Amino acid sequence: MSKRMNRISRREQIAEEALKIAAKGISAITMDKVSKACGIVPSALYRHYKNKDEILEGLRDLVRNKLLDNAKMATTEENTPLNVLKNLAVRHANLLYKHPGIPRLLFLKLLLKKIPSVAKPCSR
């Protein structure tokens, strides 16, 4: 059984676990898999995210925050523009290496727009 967490910490944990699952593909993210990865029952997961779309939004927020953190760290550690850019590139590359689901998530909307049958149901 998972320990009791505050709402913000639990949402972050859920997003982190969903990001790990995203390495297998966005379709691998299910409410059941995410709840099991977090060590909580599915009903507890629904208190934080109503559905998979909300989890995907939480993932986007998580990735955005990680990218912004990289930018902040890169600018505080180095003093020349070239060193800042190098540091930022390395930080972003490490982030993508650590979380291979990020590109899948970032390009999901683009994919949905380019493939009409995926974006909306066919009318027959």
Side-chain angles (χ1 to χ4, degrees):
M1 184 144 211
S2 184
K3 69 175 185 165
R4 194 152 187 75
M5 300 171 86
N6 67 42
R7 183 167 168 36
I8 293 170
S9 296
R10 181 64 77 187
R11 284 180 64 89
E12 287 174 3
Q13 180 207 22
I14 291 167
E16 287 282 354
E17 293 300 328
L19 185 56
K20 290 175 188 173
I21 295 169
K24 297 176 184 171
I26 300 301
S27 62
I29 299 171
T30 64
M31 300 300 271
D32 189 49
K33 286 181 184 176
V34 173
S35 65
K36 284 181 183 171
C38 293
I40 59 176
V41 295
S43 59
L45 177 63
Y46 283 101
R47 281 187 227 136
H48 300 282
Y49 293 99
K50 293 178 187 175
N51 53 40
K52 182 177 176 175
D53 288 338
E54 283 193 10
I55 290 177
L56 292 176
E57 286 299 319
L59 279 173
R60 287 185 193 99
D61 291 342
L62 176 68
V63 170
R64 181 182 315 110
N65 290 337
K66 287 181 180 294
L67 293 171
L68 290 172
D69 288 345
N70 280 351
K72 288 175 190 171
M73 293 301 293
T75 58
T76 59
E77 292 174 351
E78 301 294 338
N79 55 4
T80 67
L82 184 57
N83 285 339
V84 169
L85 287 174
K86 285 179 183 177
N87 191 0
L88 183 60
V90 169
R91 287 180 167 283
H92 284 347
N94 288 337
L95 183 65
L96 292 174
Y97 181 76
K98 184 178 177 185
H99 300 287
I102 289 176
R104 295 173 190 267
L105 177 69
L106 295 178
F107 294 111
L108 178 64
K109 280 190 175 182
L110 180 63
L111 176 67
L112 292 177
K113 288 179 183 177
K114 290 198 179 226
I115 305 173
S117 62
V118 174
K120 55 186 171 185
C122 228
S123 58
R124 293 184 187 186

